[in-house]
């Protein structure tokens, strides 16, 4: 078996990011820029059949309206439920009812099992939109306006579906994503 000598490179070298501008726009290379939008989703499963139908129709309109490339990014993070478990344990000590104590203890066991099996996670949803500086005379203002127009189009369409869209502008938050 042949072992290859693979050069270790840092994430910064691997990612094609040149610069993060003050307004949250990320310069990928000489002529490509991207913007990250955070989506606050609705719980589709809790909606009535009529609401679901309306949401799907609004989503179809969103897909037809956005005639540009969109990348969907989903990040899952395991939740730390130790604080929640600690609060429940404190409340158990205050309870005098034996039945309520038993239910609370079973609930703690359930949470711990769920947490250990990595099923307790939070998800963050993002859309990545891009703009290219095809002509040399396109300025950064042109790129900003193009991305802003796309952002407002997405925001309006997804609002009809019941979702909120937040523009990510802070450098630290962009780096974390």
């Amino acid at each position: 078996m042949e072992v290859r000598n693979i050069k270790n490179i840092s994430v910064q070298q691997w990612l094609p990011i040149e610069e993060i501008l003050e307004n949250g726009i990320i310069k990928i290379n000489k002529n490509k820029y991207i913007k990250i939008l955070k989506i606050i989703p609705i719980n589709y499963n809790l909606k009535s059949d009529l609401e679901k139908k309306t949401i799907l129709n609004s989503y179809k309109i969103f897909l037809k309206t956005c005639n540009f490339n969109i990348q969907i990014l989903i990040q899952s993070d395991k939740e730390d439920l130790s604080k929640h478990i600690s609060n429940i344990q404190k409340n158990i000590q205050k309870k005098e009812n034996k039945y309520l104590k038993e239910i609370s203890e079973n609930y703690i066991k359930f949470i711990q099992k769920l947490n250990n099996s990595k099923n307790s996670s939070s998800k963050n949803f993002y859309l990545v939109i891009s703009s290219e500086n095809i002509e040399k005379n396109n300025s950064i203002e042109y790129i900003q306006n193009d991305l802003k127009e796309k952002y407002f189009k997405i925001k309006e369409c997804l609002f009809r579906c019941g979702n909120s869209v937040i523009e990510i502008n802070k450098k630290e938050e962009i780096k974390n994503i």
Side-chain angles (χ1 to χ4, degrees):
M1 178 180 249
E2 181 183 331
V3 178
R4 292 182 181 180
N5 187 7
I6 299 173
K7 181 181 175 186
N8 291 329
I9 60 172
S10 69
V11 173
Q12 289 80 3
Q13 291 170 317
W14 178 72
L15 288 173
I17 295 174
E18 275 189 26
E19 179 183 7
I20 299 173
L21 306 175
E22 289 299 321
N23 51 11
I25 294 174
I26 303 165
K27 184 177 182 183
I28 299 296
N29 57 37
K30 291 179 185 174
N31 63 352
K32 188 168 184 179
Y33 297 81
I34 63 170
K35 181 86 173 148
I36 300 173
L37 309 175
K38 184 172 185 174
I39 309 301
I40 311 299
I42 58 167
N43 192 334
Y44 182 78
N45 294 327
L46 296 178
K47 302 298 181 181
S48 70
D49 288 340
L50 180 62
E51 288 173 316
K52 287 179 180 180
K53 194 179 275 190
T54 304
I55 291 167
L56 287 176
N57 285 332
S58 296
Y59 191 69
K60 287 177 193 174
I61 292 169
F62 163 68
L63 293 175
K64 288 179 182 177
T65 303
C66 296
N67 56 351
F68 46 85
N69 293 338
I70 298 172
Q71 180 180 359
I72 299 171
L73 173 65
I74 302 171
Q75 285 183 336
S76 295
D77 293 324
K78 186 176 181 210
E79 288 293 325
D80 179 17
L81 299 175
S82 58
K83 198 173 190 178
H84 181 61
I85 291 170
S86 175
N87 287 336
I88 295 169
Q89 288 171 334
K90 288 177 188 175
N91 286 332
I92 288 175
Q93 295 170 357
K94 295 176 186 175
K95 293 186 183 353
E96 294 178 19
N97 186 326
K98 180 181 172 183
Y99 182 68
L100 287 176
K101 283 185 178 185
E102 186 179 328
I103 290 173
S104 298
E105 288 168 358
N106 287 335
Y107 179 63
I108 289 173
K109 289 176 187 174
F110 170 74
I111 292 173
Q112 288 171 330
K113 183 180 176 184
L114 191 67
N115 202 30
N116 290 336
S117 67
K118 298 181 182 180
N119 288 336
S120 60
S121 64
S122 64
K123 293 190 183 333
N124 292 314
F125 300 90
Y126 302 96
L127 289 181
V128 180
I129 54 176
S130 64
S131 183
E132 292 195 42
N133 189 357
I134 299 169
E135 299 176 20
K136 290 183 179 182
N137 59 356
N138 287 349
S139 64
I140 191 67
E141 288 82 22
Y142 169 82
I143 299 295
Q144 287 174 334
N145 290 336
D146 183 45
L147 290 171
K148 199 64 129 170
E149 184 180 311
K150 291 174 181 177
Y151 161 67
F152 284 125
K153 196 179 277 191
I154 289 170
K155 185 175 182 175
E156 181 183 327
C157 290
L158 289 181
F159 179 77
R160 291 181 191 148
C161 298
N163 301 296
S164 298
V165 180
I166 300 169
E167 191 175 14
I168 306 295
N169 288 326
K170 296 179 183 170
K171 285 185 178 186
E172 283 305 312
E173 194 172 356
I174 290 169
K175 288 176 185 178
N176 288 336
I177 294 170

